[in-house]
Amino acid sequence: MARSYKIQVLPGDGIGPEVIDEAVKVLNTIAIGISGLNLSFHEFPCGGKYYLETGCEWPGEAEVFARQEADAILLGAVGWEKSPGEPVRREDGQMAGAAVVLGQRRELQLYANVRPVKLYPGIPTPLADKQPDDIDFVIIRENTEGLYSGIGKHYQEDTAEELAIDVRPISRVGAERVIRYAFNLAQKRRQGAPRDGKRRVTCVDKSNVLLGDQLFRRVFAECAHSFPQLEPDYAYIDAWTMWCLRQPEYYNVIVTPNLYGDIITDLGAAIQGGMGVAAGGNIGDSQAMFEPIHGSAPRHAGKRRANPTAAILAGKMLLEWLAERHKDQNALHAATVVEQAVVDVLKEGRIRTYDLCVGPYAQLKPSTTKQVGTAIRKRIQQLLKEK
Ligand code: IPM
Ligand code: MN
């Protein structure tokens, strides 16, 4: 029997709508091609531009739909500018649109921010001498507490004594659920670290200095006992950034507190070929939201040149999550075909947006957002026919 899933679509600001348009078309193509899979799309406005127009970050129905109706959420990006360099802010100073990203992460308890760092063939990496086979790890970023707790205070504004404090809570419960997620993922992944095949889970922290990180590492060590077939590994965040550039092949699954995860996942995106190809999922026990991690990129908006690959890969992660949650082989098959189509188009080489026209591809004429989406959809149709 065909399963039906309601996908909430939140295109948001800037290049969000341009790339999400292609991702939704790809998801539609795969759902049409696989008879056991039905997807319906439910689109809502949100973001900084919407806030300028309406005074709210998204309609109330959108929030209710996310909580009660959606089987999964696909988000483009939020964040808009009134003028270059001047972001639209809420009255409390927070970026307008934050309720949709940061708010939902906490509201829906999407505690694992999952960011695969995989170098696909046909994508140049800035790391000399590294090949696709060397870069294939996943960063799991704690997504609900730490420096993103929203707790803090601003004192003596506009005086010489001005002071701002951000509170960084790290709880046992918060640490344990995300660390368990990382160990479970390492167990399920097809292979271990590229260097030696070891199913390694690395705890990246700053426990030589910070109390919260000492708790995080202690909980990690405790969890490790329940997974004797996995190799626990430890790194301080500062040293890890260096090792990641020198020997990415050593890593398999990484788990880290919130802000460190924010920073190192951009580093990860750089070595996998840039923001144009980096996707992520915000995953909880009963809901999940997937997004390209590049943000709204106001400078590139409306130019039809943004790379939709990250958004399409976010769609692939969404399918994988549905597959796992509902034990749905059709959704899993769909995810595999989408990824294969992306790989094939990248490998073939000619159709690519400007950001990937570097190194051996520097002489190519950059494709538009739509051309890339269309090439991937055509390839999906071919792959489905070949079966
Ligand atoms: C990310 C982004 C967000 C974050 C921004 C948009 C608030 O950078 O998802 O990594 O800091 O988490
Ligand atoms: Mn970030």
Side-chain angles (χ1 to χ4, degrees), residues 105 115 141 148 261-263 265-266 275 293:
R105 288 175 183 169
R115 297 191 168 173
R141 160 186 175 188
Y148 280 67
D262 179 46
I263 297 167
T265 52
D266 275 22
M275 283 296 185
I293 76 171

Side-chain angles (χ1 to χ4, degrees), residues 5 39 110 112 149 151 157-158 167 208 254 275 328 337 355:
Y5 301 105
L39 301 177
L110 310 176
S149 70
I151 305 168
E157 228 167 298
D158 297 325
V167 179
N208 47 345
I254 285 146
M275 283 296 185
D328 183 341
V337 173
D355 54 313

Side-chain angles (χ1 to χ4, degrees), residues 29-44:
T29 302
I30 194 77
I32 289 168
I34 295 179
S35 58
L37 180 69
N38 288 333
L39 301 177
S40 62
F41 300 95
H42 307 264
E43 191 178 312
F44 297 87

Side-chain angles (χ1 to χ4, degrees), residues 6 17 21 38 51 58 88 102 111 177 184 231 256 261 264 277-279 290-291 297 301 314 331:
K6 292 181 191 168
D21 193 32
N38 288 333
Y51 181 83
W58 56 341
V88 182
L102 304 180
Y111 56 82
R177 61 187 184 178
N184 279 321
E231 182 185 281
T256 191
I264 69 173
V277 296
F290 299 84
E291 50 178 339

Side-chain angles (χ1 to χ4, degrees), residues 138-153:
V138 183
I139 300 175
I140 310 296
R141 160 186 175 188
E142 200 293 317
N143 215 23
T144 56
E145 49 183 33
L147 268 172
Y148 280 67
S149 70
I151 305 168
K153 206 166 157 82

Side-chain angles (χ1 to χ4, degrees), residues 43-207:
E43 191 178 312
F44 297 87
C46 70
K49 206 168 177 193
Y50 184 76
Y51 181 83
L52 270 187
E53 290 158 11
T54 65
C56 35
E57 292 161 283
W58 56 341
E61 312 90 81
E63 200 176 340
V64 173
F65 194 88
R67 234 186 359 242
Q68 297 179 357
E69 295 278 332
D71 288 299
I73 306 168
L74 182 64
L75 170 70
V78 291
W80 193 239
E81 294 180 331
K82 276 192 270 192
S83 54
E86 211 201 322
V88 182
R89 291 185 190 282
R90 304 190 309 219
E91 270 165 22
D92 64 359
Q94 182 64 269
M95 169 189 90
V100 182
V101 198
L102 304 180
Q104 288 292 90
R105 288 175 183 169
R106 275 205 301 268
E107 210 49 50
L108 301 171
Q109 291 292 300
L110 310 176
Y111 56 82
N113 191 327
V114 179
R115 297 191 168 173
V117 178
K118 182 168 176 174
L119 179 63
Y120 286 110
I123 298 187
T125 173
L127 296 187
D129 308 326
K130 297 299 175 194
Q131 312 300 325
D133 287 348
D134 295 320
I135 302 178
D136 186 2
F137 59 88
V138 183
I139 300 175
I140 310 296
R141 160 186 175 188
E142 200 293 317
N143 215 23
T144 56
E145 49 183 33
L147 268 172
Y148 280 67
S149 70
I151 305 168
K153 206 166 157 82
H154 196 167
Y155 297 92
Q156 318 240 29
E157 228 167 298
D158 297 325
T159 69
E161 286 75 40
E162 188 165 9
L163 172 69
I165 297 178
D166 296 289
V167 179
R168 182 174 182 260
I170 291 191
S171 67
R172 173 173 280 280
V173 170
E176 189 172 337
R177 61 187 184 178
V178 73
I179 289 165
R180 281 206 173 272
Y181 185 97
F183 278 105
N184 279 321
L185 177 69
Q187 206 153 28
K188 280 183 303 208
R189 258 163 76 81
R190 232 167 310 160
Q191 57 247 335
R195 171 189 286 178
D196 50 16
K198 289 255 171 72
R199 294 184 174 276
R200 183 172 291 119
V201 185
T202 306
C203 179
V204 174
D205 61 44
K206 189 73 185 172
S207 55

